[in-house]
Amino acid sequence: MERPERFGGLFDRYFDAIHRYAHLRLGEAVADDIAAETFLRAFRARNQFDTTRASARGWLYGIASNLIADHARGEARRYRAMARSVEPADHAGHDDQVAGRVSAAIMQPKLAEGLARLPAGDRDVLLLVACAQLSYEEVADALRIPRGTVGSRLNRARKKLRKIIGPYEEEL
């Protein structure tokens, strides 16, 4: 805490992951700002960080998730727009690789629609697990919620997405 120059190591270790998570949630245009603001807030609050924690990863994702929540209404609008933007097309006869790409293109609007319908807390948990690959403990730490709440929110989010996505549910 007394040597702020050491914060650079934390930045070097986690910036790309935080940026990637913000990009997945809000798009490239906002990812730079969210990632930068995450580290600015972390630096300013570095004296509040619990140094007994094994890693600052959850703490940083928590800050990023809070910043992303500030954009929640825009994020939900973005998912709804994505859901409307891709019309499924008939792509029969292509090889497996192309079929996989087509399935992903068809799935994108359904997934976007499902994400837009999720409550913000459930969406945050799902995306921290799926996109950032955080453990339940790290998600709990990041969002400052009990570990059991992580499990229940993730379960709710998956069930809702399965209803919307239908036959692709095994891929979740």
Side-chain angles (χ1 to χ4, degrees), residues 86-92 102 105-106:
V86 180
E87 291 296 322
D90 182 18
H91 296 282
V102 170
I106 291 169

Side-chain angles (χ1 to χ4, degrees), residues 19-91:
H19 186 275
R20 188 171 32 258
Y21 178 64
H23 180 213
L24 288 168
R25 293 286 306 267
L26 299 172
E28 183 63 34
V30 181
D32 292 339
D33 293 339
I34 293 292
E37 183 68 19
T38 295
F39 284 92
L40 178 62
R41 288 190 183 187
F43 182 78
R44 288 179 177 161
R46 69 189 182 281
N47 61 343
Q48 297 171 9
F49 177 70
D50 180 3
T51 56
T52 63
R53 292 180 181 181
S55 168
R57 184 176 185 219
W59 179 59
L60 291 169
Y61 275 103
I63 294 169
S65 291
N66 287 335
L67 291 168
I68 289 167
D70 292 342
H71 294 275
R73 288 191 352 218
E75 180 184 32
R77 281 192 302 269
R78 180 173 166 258
Y79 287 136
R80 286 190 294 273
M82 284 173 55
R84 292 186 304 267
S85 70
V86 180
E87 291 296 322
D90 182 18
H91 296 282

